[in-house]
């Protein structure tokens, strides 16, 4: 995502953490950039730790969207096993673009052999929609906040939400307050259902 959109996403994550503290929710932050996603912040309520880690989070690079979503599902499933959790909600703040395959993200040798052909747009789309199906099968809720601001969309964001039977919001120039408020509304709807 563009730098200003990434800063808004960081700000929204901090606002959500602050709100989750009062509602006793746990939040995990999983950025995806470069060749893979990483769990920057495991499920927790600690705002101070999240703020430190988010401030140091670099922006830019490739987009391993499938690995980001796969990692979120994995964290959600592990949290369900170990904690008293009622519902898992994945909030994907993304421009919906991808250019790194799941294989490249999860196979260290695939990263080393960078002369391998890049996956086609259709291959990336199929992979991402397969992960979206796994979100639905795991009975996790998905909220996709699409930040792409192009006139002609090449984003997979709306389709990810559709396949996972989640909620989709198109907020291309949203501030961290708008992203946070949208997420908070979606979470309250989820809790009341």
């Amino acid at each position: 995502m563009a730098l200003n959109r990434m800063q808004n996403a960081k700000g929204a994550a901090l606002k959500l953490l602050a709100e989750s503290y009062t509602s006793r929710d746990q939040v995990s932050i999983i950025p995806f950039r470069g060749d893979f996603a990483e769990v920057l912040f495991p499920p927790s309520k600690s705002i101070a730790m999240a703020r430190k880690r988010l401030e140091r989070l670099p922006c830019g690079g490739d987009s391993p969207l499938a690995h980001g979503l796969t990692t979120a599902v994995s964290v959600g499933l592990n949290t369900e096993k170990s904690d008293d959790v009622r519902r898992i909600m994945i909030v994907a703040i993304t421009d919906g673009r991808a250019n790194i395959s799941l294989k490249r993200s999860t196979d260290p040798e695939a990263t080393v052999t960078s002369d391998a052909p890049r996956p086609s747009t259709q291959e990336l789309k199929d992979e991402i929609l397969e992960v979206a199906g796994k979100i639905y099968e795991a009975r996790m809720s998905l909220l996709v906040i699409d930040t792409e601001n192009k006139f002609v969309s090449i984003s997979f964001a709306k389709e990810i939400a559709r396949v996972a039977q989640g909620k989709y919001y198109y907020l291309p120039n949203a501030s961290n307050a708008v992203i946070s408020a949208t997420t908070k509304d979606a979470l309250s709807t989820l809790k009341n259902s």
Side-chain angles (χ1 to χ4, degrees), residues 91-142:
V91 179
I93 303 171
T94 179
D95 60 8
R97 296 180 187 193
N99 58 7
I100 300 293
S101 70
L102 193 54
K103 178 176 175 44
R104 181 168 169 183
S105 296
T106 58
D107 181 3
E109 290 183 23
T111 304
V112 172
T113 57
S114 60
D115 59 339
R118 289 185 82 73
S120 71
T121 301
Q122 188 61 49
E123 289 169 328
L124 291 167
K125 179 179 178 180
D126 292 345
E127 185 176 78
I128 291 166
L129 295 182
E130 183 178 332
V131 176
K134 290 178 182 176
I135 292 170
Y136 174 73
E137 290 168 10
R139 296 190 173 142
M140 295 179 189
S141 299
L142 176 68

Side-chain angles (χ1 to χ4, degrees), residues 12-86:
L14 287 171
K15 283 183 177 287
L16 290 171
L17 274 168
E19 292 165 9
S20 72
Y21 183 79
T22 58
S23 62
R24 297 192 174 139
D25 290 333
Q26 292 186 34
V27 175
S28 178
I29 299 172
I30 305 167
F32 52 95
R33 59 178 290 282
D35 285 336
F36 57 91
E38 65 177 314
V39 179
L40 180 70
F41 186 73
S44 176
K45 298 174 190 174
S46 173
I47 300 167
M49 185 186 341
R51 178 170 278 121
K52 277 186 198 174
R53 291 185 182 177
L54 277 171
E55 285 172 356
R56 289 182 284 167
L57 178 65
C59 301
D62 289 330
S63 295
L65 181 55
H67 193 234
L69 293 172
T70 299
T71 304
V73 170
S74 179
V75 167
L77 291 173
N78 288 336
T79 302
E80 276 183 330
K81 290 178 193 173
S82 63
D83 291 331
D84 180 29
V85 175
R86 290 188 304 160

